[in-house]
Amino acid sequence: MRAGKNVSKEKLIDLGSCMHRVIIPLYVPHEMDYYKDAYEVFLLCLKSLRITSNSNIKISVISNGSCDIVNTRLLELYHLKEINELIIERDSIGKLNSILKVLRTCTEPYVTVSDADILFSNDWENQVLKVFKEFPKAAAVSPMPVFRTQNHHTSNILFDYLFSKNMRFTKVKNPEALTLFAKSIGWPRLDNHWKDVILTISSNSNVRAVVGCNHSVVTYNRSIFKKIPDANSKFQLGGDSEGNYLDKPALYFDGYRLSTEDNFAFHMGNFKEEWMTDAFKNLKSVTKTKISHVCEPLKEKVFLNFLKNYLFKKIMSFPTLRKFIFASKGLSINRLDLF
């Protein structure tokens, strides 16, 4: 029996004025060994994101087969309004499928996909949005530049700037941050040749962006996700999942994959260290403002995708030609074999 009238019927949904959503998949199956510090690292990620974001972002957390105690803590964070959307999956469905739970339905023009072990720095959001504003073809922008990304799904950028003085190898803005990233992924050190120069492009107003971006934390123009596969990923982690769902969609729209020139986020890894706590303590809370520049939806470019990301990419695969082009862009001869 139904009694009374459902007040939600025919009522329009109020999507609010939020322009930016951040999606964080979380997998903490237990709190021992590898995962001993995982939840504490995630808390640093979440709190740093809240403190440093310049706009009233919405945060979606997907618990992907995490243990009960972690899920209980997440529910507490949700009730405290630290999280806007919480999805709890009892069984692990994989990192990409967790992201897709939100990505397929979100409406915000900017969508950031972040690992749960990223420490956000002050001004990260403004700096990322500045790149979108300065480079209208930007489709994916990371606040964390990483070495040797110029060869990863960037053929369209190399094609467009092949004869332009606005693409050059320039000195790395923050070499110490690159060293920290290398250590966070288990490298004992980072050789100087990886933190000396990096390939950048410059806008008409001399704003620089690094060519290419990582997978750890990236902000996307949401329009490119019209081209993600209909089926879910078959991988728990890795495989071709990130390439097919997060990298290649930008190329269908002739969109650029870029990073900020300076570093505005840090990859922490699974083990909590003193520098992370110190960096968190130095963060400054900012007054939230409305995003002034909203990226235009990108349009699919079938022919340009074929020309730049298939034909030109094949040409760039010849080592001699790639070395010649990189040398013309300022890379010294003794570094050509490394890049």
Side-chain angles (χ1 to χ4, degrees):
M1 174 180 174
R2 179 184 295 168
K5 182 180 179 182
N6 189 333
V7 295
S8 296
K9 192 173 183 180
E10 309 298 339
K11 186 177 181 180
L12 295 176
I13 298 172
D14 181 12
L15 297 175
S17 58
C18 177
M19 297 292 171
H20 190 177
R21 181 174 294 273
V22 180
I23 303 173
I24 306 175
L26 179 66
Y27 177 62
V28 187
H30 52 75
E31 293 186 285
M32 299 177 292
D33 304 321
Y34 183 89
Y35 298 99
K36 182 172 71 73
D37 292 343
Y39 183 75
E40 291 300 316
V41 169
F42 162 73
L43 274 184
L44 285 176
C45 170
L46 179 66
K47 290 179 179 179
S48 68
L49 177 59
R50 279 289 186 201
I51 291 171
T52 60
S53 298
N54 299 95
S55 73
N56 287 308
I57 59 170
K58 289 185 177 179
I59 300 175
S60 297
V61 175
I62 308 93
S63 178
N64 169 36
S66 295
C67 59
D68 288 342
I69 185 65
V70 167
N71 288 334
T72 299
R73 294 172 189 157
L74 291 174
L75 278 169
E76 291 174 359
L77 290 173
Y78 174 79
H79 289 306
L80 290 171
K81 300 184 179 180
E82 295 295 318
I83 298 172
N84 299 88
E85 179 182 28
L86 175 61
I87 298 174
I88 296 177
E89 287 285 345
R90 183 173 297 278
D91 301 314
S92 177
I93 60 173
K95 177 182 176 181
L96 250 296
N97 294 333
S98 299
I99 293 168
L100 292 174
K101 284 273 185 178
V102 180
L103 193 59
R104 293 192 191 278
T105 58
C106 66
T107 59
E108 293 78 12
Y110 295 107
V111 180
T112 294
V113 176
S114 173
D115 287 350
D117 58 355
I118 297 298
L119 184 71
F120 292 85
S121 296
N122 280 112
D123 213 34
W124 77 272
E125 188 182 21
N126 275 346
Q127 294 299 324
V128 164
L129 297 185
K130 180 190 290 187
V131 174
F132 276 103
K133 182 178 180 180
E134 293 290 330
F135 300 93
K137 293 178 73 172
V141 180
S142 173
M144 187 172 67
V146 176
F147 43 87
R148 210 182 181 191
T149 54
Q150 77 280 347
N151 297 322
H152 187 62
H153 297 295
T154 57
S155 295
N156 56 335
I157 304 175
L158 301 179
F159 181 95
D160 288 351
Y161 285 83
L162 187 60
F163 301 108
S164 172
K165 294 181 180 179
N166 287 337
M167 182 169 71
R168 303 286 297 174
F169 279 91
T170 59
K171 287 195 72 65
V172 170
K173 189 87 171 180
N174 192 338
E176 293 80 11
L178 289 188
T179 300
L180 273 176
F181 175 78
K183 290 181 177 179
S184 75
I185 59 175
W187 292 18
R189 69 181 191 283
L190 184 65
D191 294 334
N192 286 331
H193 56 258
W194 295 124
K195 53 183 177 179
D196 183 17
V197 294
I198 201 163
L199 188 62
T200 61
I201 56 176
S202 300
S203 69
N204 293 332
S205 55
N206 292 320
V207 172
R208 280 182 186 165
V210 171
V211 175
C213 64
N214 62 84
H215 287 130
S216 300
V217 52
V218 184
T219 301
Y220 298 91
N221 179 328
R222 185 181 56 84
S223 64
I224 68 171
F225 293 117
K226 290 181 288 187
K227 290 295 292 183
I228 59 177
D230 292 331
N232 283 354
S233 172
K234 61 184 179 181
F235 293 97
Q236 282 276 2
L237 186 67
D240 60 1
S241 55
E242 288 180 310
N244 288 336
Y245 291 86
L246 299 179
D247 295 342
K248 291 181 181 178
L251 306 183
Y252 299 134
F253 297 81
D254 197 26
Y256 292 172
R257 292 172 49 78
L258 302 168
S259 300
T260 55
E261 186 183 21
D262 205 346
N263 191 87
F264 295 96
F266 296 92
H267 182 249
M268 293 182 283
N270 64 306
F271 180 69
K272 191 175 179 182
E273 299 176 75
E274 187 176 352
W275 71 263
M276 303 171 190
T277 304
D278 293 340
F280 179 79
K281 289 178 180 177
N282 289 329
L283 297 178
K284 297 179 181 178
S285 184
V286 295
T287 302
K288 309 304 181 187
T289 58
K290 187 176 180 179
I291 291 176
S292 58
H293 174 76
V294 179
C295 55
E296 292 291 330
L298 297 176
K299 297 180 180 179
E300 188 176 358
K301 305 288 179 64
V302 178
F303 174 72
L304 292 181
N305 178 37
F306 176 75
L307 173 65
K308 299 177 185 181
N309 301 306
Y310 181 75
L311 292 181
F312 184 68
K313 183 179 180 179
K314 278 189 172 294
I315 294 172
M316 282 293 291
S317 67
F318 291 99
T320 302
L321 180 58
R322 185 171 66 251
K323 291 177 184 179
F324 174 78
I325 292 174
F326 284 172
S328 73
K329 297 301 178 182
L331 188 63
S332 59
I333 294 175
N334 63 333
R335 303 286 176 83
L336 292 176
D337 287 327
L338 302 171
F339 284 79

